[in-house]
Amino acid sequence: VRDVTTGRSSGSGGDGKSRKEKILKILAEIQAPLSLLMLRLCSWALLKLLNHLFLSVQLHRGQLEMVLRAARTPSVPLVFLSTHKSQLDGLLLSFLLFSQGLGVPRVTVGGQGCSPRLRALLGCLGGIFLPLRMEQMPNDQDEGLPGAVLATYVEEVLRSRQPLLVFLEEPPVALRLSASAREWLALVYRAVRDGAVPDVLLVPVGIAYDVVP
């Protein structure tokens, strides 16, 4: 981040304060501080919702044991990979992982179609987004400051061993890697390649529905 801002400031005359404000603005587009109050309220509301939507929610014990065993691996961050069957998947998987003592995962969310209020709510629950400029121009080779801030953010998430949940596709388009998933996976790979973390554990998780809500 410092290299990018220094390179730009040499030709633009911006001061350190304005650069810091830009960085904080980009960081606010990516994530928000977790709200324990909102997490508790949404966990309660989600339980009520599940009782109305489904006859039952079943955990596969063998798969759950695999996830818990992976979580016990010392000094290695977890990256959960999941297909995306419905818009409830992020909330359901976050709730299940949280209820099993794995902490609140940072969940990648496609920002397109999210209103500012929904984006703010999901951010308080652990949702993370690509910066707005990168969402609008996903194939832009010159990512500049937003790309540098995002790469540093992912490194810090992995280094602090916060679980990261990446959805590989966006409904209703199934069985195709989405542009945002490609971006998040590239950032994880880059963090390992550059030595920010020695390794990561890629753990497949998923939800199956008898009838997709």
Side-chain angles (χ1 to χ4, degrees):
V1 173
R2 187 183 299 115
D3 290 344
V4 172
T5 55
T6 302
R8 294 203 165 194
S9 64
S10 62
S12 62
D15 60 8
K17 183 178 180 181
S18 65
R19 291 198 300 271
K20 183 177 180 181
E21 289 174 352
K22 288 180 181 178
I23 291 169
L24 292 176
K25 181 181 178 182
I26 294 168
L27 186 60
E29 293 175 358
I30 298 171
Q31 63 108 50
L34 292 174
S35 169
L36 291 178
L37 176 61
M38 290 302 300
L39 284 166
R40 291 191 179 102
L41 281 174
C42 285
S43 293
W44 173 82
L46 187 59
L47 281 173
K48 298 289 185 183
L49 178 65
L50 292 178
N51 286 331
H52 283 85
L53 281 181
F54 306 115
L55 293 176
S56 65
V57 177
Q58 300 175 358
L59 283 176
H60 190 291
R61 289 295 175 186
Q63 293 177 352
L64 179 59
E65 179 55 37
M66 178 192 72
V67 172
L68 294 175
R69 188 166 63 248
R72 291 193 290 268
T73 305
S75 305
V76 180
L78 295 179
V79 177
F80 297 107
L81 304 178
S82 178
T83 56
H84 209 174
K85 297 292 191 296
S86 89
Q87 300 297 345
L88 278 178
D89 289 358
L91 289 173
L92 276 169
L93 282 172
S94 294
F95 173 72
L96 291 172
L97 294 172
F98 180 63
S99 68
Q100 297 302 314
L102 296 175
V104 180
R106 288 293 184 174
V107 183
T108 62
V109 182
Q112 296 180 354
C114 280
S115 67
R117 288 185 178 181
L118 179 59
R119 192 174 178 125
L121 173 62
L122 294 176
C124 293
L125 300 176
I128 55 176
F129 303 81
L130 295 176
L132 292 175
R133 176 183 158 185
M134 295 178 66
E135 284 182 351
Q136 295 162 359
M137 297 180 291
N139 297 319
D140 188 5
Q141 295 299 317
D142 181 22
E143 295 173 346
L145 187 58
V149 174
L150 180 63
T152 306
Y153 173 77
V154 171
E155 289 179 2
E156 289 302 317
V157 167
L158 296 175
R159 192 179 287 121
S160 61
R161 297 197 65 200
Q162 295 181 63
L164 179 64
L165 172 58
V166 178
F167 284 109
L168 301 177
E169 56 198 18
E170 287 296 332
V173 181
L175 302 178
R176 193 177 75 185
L177 190 65
S178 68
S180 61
R182 190 177 292 112
E183 188 72 44
W184 289 111
L185 292 174
L187 291 164
V188 171
Y189 167 75
R190 178 175 165 184
V192 177
R193 183 198 65 188
D194 294 347
V197 289
D199 200 1
V200 296
L201 274 177
L202 302 179
V203 183
V205 295
I207 295 179
Y209 300 95
D210 289 336
V211 177
V212 176

